[in-house]
Amino acid sequence: MVTTIVGYVASYLLAYGGFHLETRFRQQRQPATDVESGNKTWPSPSVACLSPSSKHRIARIDRLSTLSEALSSSEPLAETSAMIKSPTSTLIDFIFRTGPIWIWLSLLTIVGLPVYLATGYILPFDLFSITLFWVASVQFQRSLRSSQSLLRFNRLRSLVLIFCNPILITWAVATAYMYAKAACAGKSIEFVIRDFRHFNSLSKCIIHIMEDHNVPAHLGAGDLAGLLLDAGVACMGFKMYEYRSELWLSLGTVSLTCTALAAISVFLNVLVAHGCGLQGADAVAFAGRSATLALGIPAIENIGGSTTLASSIAVFSGIVFQMAGNWLFSVLHIDDRAPRDNSRSPPKVHISEKSHGVFSKTTSVGHTEEKKDTRNGCAETNTESSVVAAGVTIGINAAAMGTAYLIERDSRAVAYSALSMILFGAATVALTAFPAATTIIALLTSR
């Protein structure tokens, strides 16, 4: 908890100050609008955004039914009345809204269960079960956000939504599922977990399968989780491409912050963990506390740390932000929300002229607004600095989980978070690859 809080504060302050310095260094005083911002596709509303209420949804369906009836009967539209919603249409609407749950439940019963009963291979059953838990938890939180009863109690609603985080619910249900499997099979929980995930990477599973051609003995549902992490990191590149102009202007801030904090956290976190009483591999695991799992786990393995503890720390940091993210943005007054339609003015950024030279002056692109006074320009700079600092902070400390939450939040900070996550993880891997780093870490944990 101590290293998490200190990491968030230090990242935000360093990135906030660095962006101010970089803006002055580039001599960019004239705000302009990004010509590409009108073509950016914002993500659709999700669990982080307030879903439309069921009342409004029903009203739209009723109006559509009324219009269809009027057109078919050639009656004047002014004289038509709303149709009474039948139980059948209500059931159909419910099935469509909860479609993903029914899809994975069908796969579980049609594919997973028969395969397990016929062959004893548990991977399909485990895979469909865990996915069903996740989809159901997301749908559950979405229903809470659109609940008319909770909307009347704002504080209770916020508290319920925090503790009904999909990751927490999936973790709780999956833990109960593992213990239920152990009880039904009459085996220990350690055996069930080893059967769920055999190795730390899919490549090791493939190597062992090629040696003895025994797939069930070397591949479990948990081993496929690495594919999701790798795919998630690759998908972040799409957001970084959309915001390439903004990322170029903050590249110095992001690079400096990630490199400096990677160098500090690798050694300082180990020292703090050792000072709190952790020994050996457990203390070394804190060297990759903030790195995303896809990059942090290889780094921890290279220096002899506990990958289990490192994974737990990374997940904890991500959950902390997902639970308190909206509250933190509200307290810090960070306006990171992106406009949803192109008719609104896009976010103001500073775009450099010609070939993006580091020292080049800037010019206005698209339709520009006159700068009315210095205070307005300072306010815009402070707003953009807050967004950049928030993105860098989340990318470094909350990694993939925090970046995914920003996408759900429809935040302009998502590109900075994705870039910071990758740069910080790469810096951590590069730093721990040196033999001297392993020697220094061993000395810190031996005192």
Side-chain angles (χ1 to χ4, degrees), residues 85-98 102:
K85 195 169 180 64
S86 64
T88 303
S89 59
T90 303
L91 178 61
I92 294 175
D93 182 51
F94 172 76
I95 292 175
F96 273 104
R97 285 189 287 109
T98 58
W102 300 109

Side-chain angles (χ1 to χ4, degrees), residues 33-49:
T33 49
D34 185 359
V35 292
E36 297 176 351
S37 59
N39 298 323
K40 292 172 183 173
T41 55
W42 307 107
S44 58
S46 58
V47 295
C49 304

